[in-house]
Amino acid sequence: MSIQFEIESQSGSARTGRLITPHSEVETPVFMPVGTLASVKGVSQDILEELGVQILLGNTYHLYLRPGVEQIRRLGGLHRFMAWPRAILTDSGGFQVFSLTDLRKVTEEGVTFRSHLDGSSHFFSPEGAMDAQIGLGADIIMAFDECTEYPADRDRMRASMELTLRWAERSKKHFEEHKDEVPWFNHVGTAAQALFGIVQGGMDHQLRRESAERTIAIGFPGYAIGGLSVGEPRALTREVVESTLEHLPTDRPRYLMGVGTPEEIVEYANLGIDMMDCVLPTRAARHGLLFTSEGKITIKQARYAGDEAPLDPNCGCRVCRRYSRAYLRHLYASNEVLAQVLNTVHNLSFYLDTMRAVRHSILLGKETGSSCVWSRPKP
Amino acid sequence: MSIQFEIESQSGSARTGRLITPHSEVETPVFMPVGTLASVKGVSQDILEELGVQILLGNTYHLYLRPGVEQIRRLGGLHRFMAWPRAILTDSGGFQVFSLTDLRKVTEEGVTFRSHLDGSSHFFSPEGAMDAQIGLGADIIMAFDECTEYPADRDRMRASMELTLRWAERSKKHFEEHKDEVPWFNHVGTAAQALFGIVQGGMDHQLRRESAERTIAIGFPGYAIGGLSVGEPRALTREVVESTLEHLPTDRPRYLMGVGTPEEIVEYANLGIDMMDCVLPTRAARHGLLFTSEGKITIKQARYAGDEAPLDPNCGCRVCRRYSRAYLRHLYASNEVLAQVLNTVHNLSFYLDTMRAVRHSILLGKETGSSCVWSRPKP
């Protein structure tokens, strides 16, 4: 047994559910904070638990380079290594390698790439990506795909989609043969990881449909929509998400990779997406861009230097309960490490609160507009 | 009323006591973590409270430059600005300015110096340092002194000591005239700050005695020993501390500025020092140097890459309870911000535990050797 997915309520296309993974239950729709190198930058795991994070994302490419898959495997897998008892999802490394535009070469067999750290040469194949993700031991792992660049012509989109489909078959075959090698296989009641397939097809609705149908034919316990948020206009992203969702089974979790803003995660949850991840809340926090119920705040601005109000008067997070905008502005302007820590805690809190509000609205059968994000009641 | 100091127990030269400040009670001997820019780098105030920090040190020079004294005064003082309800001590800026060797010029009137940030020119006098520290509003503030360089000949040591004595008189006079301008004067039952005098005199026992006697004649509610840890051998530091302590009143808190290692803080507490501060635990943490009951650990070493043990098996801090050396080594080697956060929490915990053990031993009437630091029982 790998995962179970139970839908609890539906409202239009949106639904709430429970994703039961070997390590914990996850309420959906869910936003997954990104913990690239086995750490959500600056935030201790205690605080992530307090924030209500139920599932974290780790990046296979980064962990493969540091500290190395074998090291993590020997230490019992990613959960034990980073002392995180709840669910984890790892990406396949495909998107990260895709981002190394000048450092990679794609062939039928896989991708040769150079490390962004030291220029050393490495090779990822569907089989290698499965071995890496089995060694890391996340609850949910992803098929090795090619993320089609944007813009791309139809021939290129088709060729890329076909490659991803062949790689999906190879990913599944290798995973099925090796899934009992996950470090915790016999510790968590012989539970196994769940391998999700990824739908590609560029911005072409017809290709997306074909990719969805053929990926479903291979058969996975969950499906992701990949290849979006790669530079295309937001309206196009939404169109592709909507048209792809029509072709995905309703009884399996649907994961939209790499989105988005607070408004977007509400919008996609309302379209029926169950899982999302994005570096935005954490990366923006490090640059002093903070999400609040009253809109975005660029904390370095001089206007906040004397502002005694909490960052977000409608937020109950440990940052908003204790500190003023003036203090947060001072920390940021003075390049204090605590700025990054507190800003990240708040932004994650805002994203998680947003998803809680969305789940609540779906449960009540209400369409959740972005208004729920920007005007939540005081806690 | 500013502070009260009550001695609770004595054992040889050592004593335990309670320092009652306008904002909180402090158990002595106490180690004060350094929060230079209104933040102990990387650690949220909640965590400092949890660690049992009862008094923090802020640096007037740094806060004067960023965010500026006037800004903090308008926001109600340092306690309110940084959301820290417990006691705070600020240094006078004298030592910081002393460190700007090539950027300062000392005259009878005060010190002209250039900012390390932008090279802008500033002037600190005893009166200016008092105004700054009154504006910041720490519970305990320090007279403006000249920290004598090491080595220095006897004429230079005497001249510097005499200057510090004249500045001590001016500091006290200005403070007495303006102490009701502290931002919280009428909020905390018209309590006032306490101004401590600083004994200088270089490494000369005779001058130290004279400095102590003449500083006491001016009259302060507490006395600091300054001008040590400026490059002299450790044995000499200890000698000067011991000989200076003989001339300080036993009924006032005695503060040794800028020390030390875990062994040293134990040693000085046993000599009868009541208060100490040092950047060592926090700065060392940022460089991956960790203090444990089994000795020092340089966490970047490859030997820890596969080490599943906690950093310190005898430590009950939130870092040692949760994370392995392997994980901490990975965070440090990968330059993750969480490395700095967790390392700092542990080192502070170790220092505070050490002082708790010292207080306990003094209460029991036992001499506390460094053995109490290195072999504490499991919590």
Side-chain angles (χ1 to χ4, degrees):
Chain A
M1 199 214 76
S2 59
I3 55 161
Q4 289 176 46
F5 182 57
E6 294 166 4
I7 291 171
E8 292 191 326
S9 75
Q10 287 192 277
S11 172
S13 310
R15 67 263 192 92
T16 64
R18 306 185 87 75
L19 186 61
I20 300 152
T21 78
H23 284 84
S24 71
E25 269 189 42
V26 177
E27 295 167 291
T28 62
V30 67
F31 178 81
M32 304 183 284
V34 178
T36 297
L37 272 163
S39 165
V40 175
K41 295 191 187 308
V43 184
S44 174
Q45 276 72 308
D46 314 270
I47 309 289
L48 295 174
E49 285 177 343
E50 183 187 292
L51 287 170
V53 174
Q54 295 177 334
I55 178 168
L56 275 184
L57 185 139
N59 291 125
T60 297
Y61 164 78
H62 290 280
L63 293 165
Y64 163 87
L65 293 177
R66 289 184 302 189
V69 171
E70 191 47 32
Q71 185 68 265
I72 291 180
R73 199 190 58 72
R74 270 201 303 268
L75 292 164
L78 199 45
H79 294 86
R80 190 158 157 202
F81 176 64
M82 66 183 290
W84 177 253
R86 301 183 183 177
I88 301 177
L89 179 148
T90 47
D91 63 8
S92 67
F95 182 77
Q96 307 279 328
V97 169
F98 162 81
S99 308
L100 302 169
T101 316
D102 300 327
L103 299 171
R104 66 173 153 85
K105 185 166 170 268
V106 181
T107 64
E108 180 65 29
E109 194 48 36
V111 184
T112 305
F113 61 94
R114 289 191 177 282
S115 157
H116 72 289
L117 296 173
D118 62 5
S120 57
S121 186
H122 300 269
F123 178 69
F124 263 16
S125 62
E127 293 77 17
M130 290 305 103
D131 286 338
Q133 290 185 86
I134 292 167
L136 296 175
D139 299 272
I140 299 172
I141 70 177
M142 304 302 297
F144 191 65
D145 63 327
E146 185 186 53
C147 181
T148 316
E149 67 281 1
Y150 175 84
D153 64 31
R154 202 159 193 277
D155 285 350
R156 167 65 192 138
M157 287 191 282
R158 168 164 286 285
S160 176
M161 180 199 84
E162 296 279 358
L163 182 66
T164 287
L165 284 164
R166 290 191 298 276
W167 284 359
E169 298 231 37
R170 285 168 57 189
S171 293
K172 184 177 175 184
K173 179 166 185 290
H174 194 81
F175 172 71
E176 292 296 338
E177 291 165 2
H178 296 274
K179 63 185 179 186
D180 60 351
E181 294 166 20
V182 72
W184 41 262
F185 189 68
N186 287 310
H187 301 290
V188 192
T190 71
Q193 299 174 284
L195 170 64
F196 279 22
I198 303 179
V199 175
Q200 292 284 352
M203 304 301 157
D204 185 293
H205 294 209
Q206 199 50 46
L207 289 177
R208 284 278 169 182
R209 176 184 186 153
E210 186 178 338
S211 177
E213 288 170 352
R214 291 171 59 188
T215 307
I216 293 162
I218 299 170
F220 294 96
Y223 296 93
I225 303 175
L228 294 177
S229 277
V230 289
E232 78 282 6
R234 277 290 167 264
L236 184 52
T237 316
R238 188 193 151 107
E239 260 181 53
V240 175
V241 170
E242 233 176 327
S243 80
T244 307
L245 276 173
E246 285 174 31
H247 308 293
L248 292 180
T250 54
D251 63 345
R252 300 283 161 96
R254 287 122 56 129
Y255 164 27
L256 178 56
M257 305 178 87
V259 294
T261 64
E263 299 91 328
E264 285 163 5
I265 63 173
V266 172
E267 189 180 340
Y268 295 128
N270 282 327
L271 292 178
I273 291 292
D274 305 300
M275 304 163 69
M276 285 168 273
D277 76 282
C278 193
V279 293
L280 184 59
T282 45
R283 183 175 290 166
R286 297 200 293 279
H287 293 103
L289 181 69
L290 300 167
F291 298 101
T292 82
S293 62
E294 296 169 344
K296 280 182 280 193
I297 282 183
T298 302
I299 199 67
K300 77 172 170 200
Q301 290 174 353
R303 61 201 282 205
Y304 301 117
D307 189 339
E308 294 195 77
L311 185 52
D312 183 347
N314 299 313
C315 176
C317 82
R318 56 162 67 209
V319 178
C320 290
R321 285 200 311 268
R322 183 152 198 160
Y323 303 106
S324 65
R325 292 173 176 176
Y327 183 62
L328 295 175
R329 196 265 173 183
H330 160 68
L331 292 178
Y332 188 81
S334 302
N335 212 18
E336 282 288 310
V337 168
L338 191 57
Q340 168 170 345
V341 173
L342 299 182
N343 291 349
T344 303
V345 169
H346 170 77
N347 271 1
L348 282 181
S349 177
F350 187 77
Y351 265 64
L352 290 159
D353 277 354
T354 297
M355 290 311 275
R356 273 188 281 268
V358 167
R359 286 196 299 269
H360 191 64
S361 293
I362 297 170
L363 265 167
L364 295 178
K366 285 196 286 198
E367 170 80 4
T368 321
S370 64
S371 65
C372 91
V373 182
W374 306 120
S375 59
R376 286 200 309 275
K378 291 207 187 208
Chain B
M1 200 213 73
S2 57
I3 55 162
Q4 289 176 47
F5 182 57
E6 296 166 2
I7 292 171
E8 292 192 325
S9 75
Q10 287 194 278
S11 172
S13 311
R15 66 265 194 90
T16 62
R18 306 185 86 75
L19 187 61
I20 300 152
T21 79
H23 285 85
S24 69
E25 270 190 41
V26 177
E27 294 166 292
T28 62
V30 68
F31 178 81
M32 305 183 283
V34 178
T36 298
L37 272 164
S39 164
V40 174
K41 296 191 188 305
V43 184
S44 174
Q45 276 72 306
D46 314 89
I47 308 288
L48 296 174
E49 285 177 344
E50 183 187 291
L51 286 171
V53 174
Q54 294 177 335
I55 178 168
L56 274 184
L57 185 140
N59 291 125
T60 297
Y61 164 78
H62 290 280
L63 292 165
Y64 162 87
L65 293 177
R66 288 184 301 189
V69 171
E70 191 47 32
Q71 184 68 265
I72 291 180
R73 199 191 58 72
R74 269 202 303 267
L75 292 164
L78 198 46
H79 294 86
R80 189 159 156 200
F81 175 63
M82 67 183 288
W84 177 252
R86 301 183 183 177
I88 300 177
L89 179 150
T90 47
D91 63 7
S92 67
F95 181 78
Q96 307 280 328
V97 168
F98 161 83
S99 309
L100 302 171
T101 317
D102 299 328
L103 299 171
R104 66 172 153 87
K105 184 166 170 270
V106 181
T107 64
E108 181 64 30
E109 196 46 37
V111 185
T112 305
F113 61 94
R114 291 191 177 280
S115 158
H116 72 288
L117 295 173
D118 62 5
S120 57
S121 186
H122 301 270
F123 178 70
F124 263 15
S125 63
E127 293 77 16
M130 290 306 102
D131 286 338
Q133 289 185 87
I134 292 168
L136 296 175
D139 299 272
I140 299 172
I141 70 177
M142 304 302 297
F144 191 65
D145 63 329
E146 185 185 53
C147 180
T148 316
E149 66 283 1
Y150 176 84
D153 63 29
R154 200 158 195 276
D155 285 351
R156 166 66 192 137
M157 288 192 282
R158 169 165 286 284
S160 176
M161 180 199 82
E162 296 279 359
L163 182 66
T164 287
L165 284 163
R166 292 191 296 276
W167 285 0
E169 297 232 38
R170 285 168 57 190
S171 292
K172 184 178 175 183
K173 179 167 185 289
H174 194 82
F175 172 70
E176 292 296 339
E177 291 165 3
H178 296 273
K179 64 185 180 186
D180 61 350
E181 294 166 19
V182 72
W184 41 262
F185 189 68
N186 287 310
H187 301 291
V188 192
T190 72
Q193 299 174 285
L195 171 64
F196 279 22
I198 303 179
V199 175
Q200 291 285 351
M203 305 301 157
D204 186 292
H205 293 208
Q206 200 51 46
L207 290 177
R208 284 279 169 180
R209 176 185 186 151
E210 186 177 338
S211 176
E213 287 170 355
R214 290 170 62 188
T215 307
I216 293 162
I218 298 170
F220 294 96
Y223 297 93
I225 303 175
L228 294 177
S229 277
V230 288
E232 79 282 6
R234 276 291 167 262
L236 185 53
T237 317
R238 188 191 152 108
E239 262 180 52
V240 175
V241 170
E242 232 176 327
S243 80
T244 307
L245 275 172
E246 285 173 31
H247 309 294
L248 293 180
T250 54
D251 63 345
R252 300 284 161 94
R254 288 119 61 126
Y255 164 28
L256 177 56
M257 305 178 86
V259 295
T261 64
E263 297 91 330
E264 285 163 7
I265 63 173
V266 172
E267 189 180 340
Y268 294 129
N270 281 327
L271 292 178
I273 292 292
D274 305 301
M275 304 163 68
M276 286 169 273
D277 77 282
C278 193
V279 294
L280 184 58
T282 44
R283 184 175 290 165
R286 299 199 292 280
H287 293 101
L289 181 68
L290 301 167
F291 299 102
T292 81
S293 62
E294 297 170 343
K296 280 182 279 193
I297 282 183
T298 303
I299 199 67
K300 77 172 170 199
Q301 290 174 353
R303 60 200 284 203
Y304 301 117
D307 190 339
E308 294 194 76
L311 186 52
D312 183 347
N314 298 314
C315 177
C317 82
R318 56 163 66 210
V319 178
C320 291
R321 285 201 311 268
R322 184 154 198 158
Y323 303 106
S324 66
R325 292 173 176 177
Y327 183 62
L328 295 174
R329 195 265 173 184
H330 160 68
L331 292 178
Y332 188 80
S334 303
N335 212 17
E336 282 287 309
V337 168
L338 191 58
Q340 167 169 347
V341 173
L342 299 181
N343 291 349
T344 303
V345 169
H346 170 77
N347 271 1
L348 282 180
S349 176
F350 187 77
Y351 266 64
L352 290 159
D353 276 354
T354 297
M355 291 311 275
R356 272 187 282 267
V358 168
R359 286 196 299 269
H360 190 65
S361 294
I362 296 169
L363 265 167
L364 296 177
K366 286 194 285 195
E367 171 80 3
T368 321
S370 64
S371 66
C372 91
V373 182
W374 305 123
S375 58
R376 285 201 310 275
K378 293 207 185 208

